[in-house]
Amino acid sequence: MAKRKNFKANLVKQSVKQVVQKTVQQAVGRSVEKDPRILEIQTKYQKNGLTFQSNNNNIIPRDQAGNIKLQESATDNPLLIIEPASTRILNKSVLKVIDTQFNYFKFPATTRIVDTDDVNIDLDLDLTVEQESEDVIYARYKPSENRKILSDLTGQGIASGILMDELEEGQSQKRTNLYYITKQIKDSGADLRFRVKINFRYDSDASDFNTTYFYISRSGPDKYLQRDYIQYFDFEDPFAGGGKISLYQVQNSYKDVVIANSEFEVGDTFGITALAGKNSEKRFSTINAAQTYWSITDASKNVDEWNREI
């Protein structure tokens, strides 16, 4: 009888214990699920993301910048509480896959012809710039600075080359101060037109005058240097006769001449030479670079000194 009583007593205890445990679990579950504070905390994180920062100073005190207030070695620092949160990944949190397949054409490709009546193919194209760039003859040179005109100290009347080193337009110089005959120039069969203008003046310490002469020179692999290949320029002053120029006088000298293609070969060069009667420290003639030029064009073209069609 005693054993049966003990068995019944243990059975009752276990049953009561199970009922109590189940009742507590249900109560705790209901309190957790329905606790508005927990729901509010979770809502903040679900709305603002997992990086949401709590501003509840009752939980963790913060300064105005949002930093947690902690003091080193202090005994009353608040506990560092990490607020619980639960969320779920939505479709918006995942990068959308974009369809990048090639849908612009279908292969094999097909063409469609559209009939158009009265098509005007009469095009007026301005090829001036292109034609000028292909002109193998044209060049325009000038001196880069003012220079004195040399005299011949030997008294033999030998002219010296003048400065014509600055390229304004056209073909570059293969030889400084000289116009070089290339294969393209010779093979073109064209004659050359030289137009030269030289502006110069005479300075002296006496009431005298000077004489100045200008020439076109020619030389080449099979030709000796001929300093006066083409002689005598024209002077603006009709009374200058023989290149005479008075004290402080400024004059212009010109030459406009055509040189036949038969007069030059590949590798030949042309230049401008000059000879002054006087050239000393106090008596000298000077070329003005700004008013001086040498233009070379195709003699068959009706163009000006800048190779512009007239």
Side-chain angles (χ1 to χ4, degrees):
M1 290 292 291
K3 290 183 178 180
R4 292 185 62 184
K5 288 181 180 181
N6 290 334
F7 175 77
K8 289 182 179 180
N10 291 334
L11 182 61
V12 170
K13 289 180 180 180
Q14 291 178 359
S15 299
V16 172
K17 184 177 180 181
Q18 290 176 356
V19 170
V20 171
Q21 288 179 348
K22 184 175 182 180
T23 303
V24 171
Q25 289 177 356
Q26 291 177 352
V28 172
R30 285 196 300 270
S31 62
V32 171
E33 291 177 359
K34 297 182 180 181
D35 189 345
R37 188 179 65 83
I38 299 299
L39 293 176
E40 181 182 358
I41 293 175
Q42 292 178 349
T43 302
K44 290 187 296 184
Y45 281 95
Q46 291 174 350
K47 179 180 179 181
N48 299 292
L50 292 177
T51 58
F52 175 76
Q53 178 177 285
S54 175
N55 293 322
N56 189 349
N57 290 328
N58 295 323
I59 300 177
I60 300 177
R62 299 177 183 268
D63 58 18
Q64 293 182 351
N67 301 312
I68 298 175
K69 294 180 180 181
L70 295 174
Q71 295 183 0
E72 188 175 356
S73 302
T75 58
D76 58 346
N77 283 325
L79 295 177
L80 183 60
I81 300 175
I82 300 177
E83 300 175 359
S86 63
T87 185
R88 57 196 179 92
I89 299 177
L90 303 177
N91 188 36
K92 293 181 180 180
S93 303
V94 182
L95 293 177
K96 294 183 178 179
V97 179
I98 301 176
D99 185 7
T100 59
Q101 64 181 343
F102 191 76
N103 293 323
Y104 300 103
F105 300 101
K106 293 183 178 180
F107 295 95
T110 58
T111 58
R112 183 166 58 95
I113 300 176
V114 179
D115 294 333
T116 304
D117 297 332
D118 300 328
V119 177
N120 184 10
I121 58 174
D122 185 11
L123 303 177
D124 185 11
L125 300 178
D126 185 6
L127 302 178
T128 304
V129 175
E130 181 179 354
Q131 290 173 353
E132 288 183 359
S133 63
E134 295 176 354
D135 193 331
V136 298
I137 295 176
Y138 172 60
R140 182 179 170 110
Y141 307 140
K142 67 180 293 294
S144 59
E145 62 183 22
N146 297 348
R147 286 282 182 90
K148 291 181 179 181
I149 302 174
L150 301 180
S151 60
D152 182 14
L153 299 179
T154 66
Q156 300 179 25
I158 299 176
S160 301
I162 69 172
L163 197 65
M164 281 287 182
D165 60 329
E166 185 173 314
L167 173 66
E168 291 192 286
E169 282 188 344
Q171 299 300 317
S172 60
Q173 294 180 344
K174 291 182 178 292
R175 306 286 187 274
T176 305
N177 302 320
L178 302 175
Y179 182 76
Y180 182 86
I181 302 300
T182 63
K183 291 184 293 184
Q184 291 82 0
I185 294 174
K186 177 61 181 178
D187 295 343
S188 69
D191 299 334
L192 305 179
R193 183 178 181 182
F194 287 0
R195 278 174 282 197
V196 186
K197 174 194 172 186
I198 299 176
N199 180 272
F200 65 105
R201 64 170 288 161
Y202 176 60
D203 294 274
S204 175
D205 60 350
S207 298
D208 59 354
F209 65 89
N210 199 2
T211 55
T212 310
Y213 305 98
F214 299 100
Y215 313 97
I216 294 176
S217 65
R218 183 188 68 174
S219 64
D222 299 317
K223 297 181 180 67
Y224 68 92
L225 174 59
Q226 190 175 354
R227 299 174 185 270
D228 57 351
Y229 168 66
I230 296 179
Q231 300 183 4
Y232 308 120
F233 282 35
D234 300 322
F235 291 87
E236 189 176 50
D237 183 359
F239 302 102
K244 179 180 178 181
I245 182 170
S246 302
L247 177 64
Y248 302 138
Q249 186 181 12
V250 178
Q251 287 194 36
N252 288 318
S253 182
Y254 300 93
K255 193 64 177 181
D256 188 342
V257 63
V258 174
I259 300 176
N261 187 276
S262 59
E263 291 293 308
F264 53 80
E265 298 295 334
V266 177
D268 287 356
T269 57
F270 292 91
I272 310 298
T273 58
L275 175 64
K278 300 174 183 177
N279 179 36
S280 64
E281 183 179 352
K282 297 182 179 181
R283 300 178 183 182
F284 53 88
S285 294
T286 307
I287 293 178
N288 179 19
Q291 302 295 323
T292 299
Y293 66 82
W294 176 19
S295 173
I296 305 100
T297 57
D298 185 340
S300 64
K301 296 181 179 180
N302 187 24
V303 293
D304 62 7
E305 296 86 350
W306 291 97
N307 203 34
R308 296 175 299 188
E309 187 175 353
I310 300 174

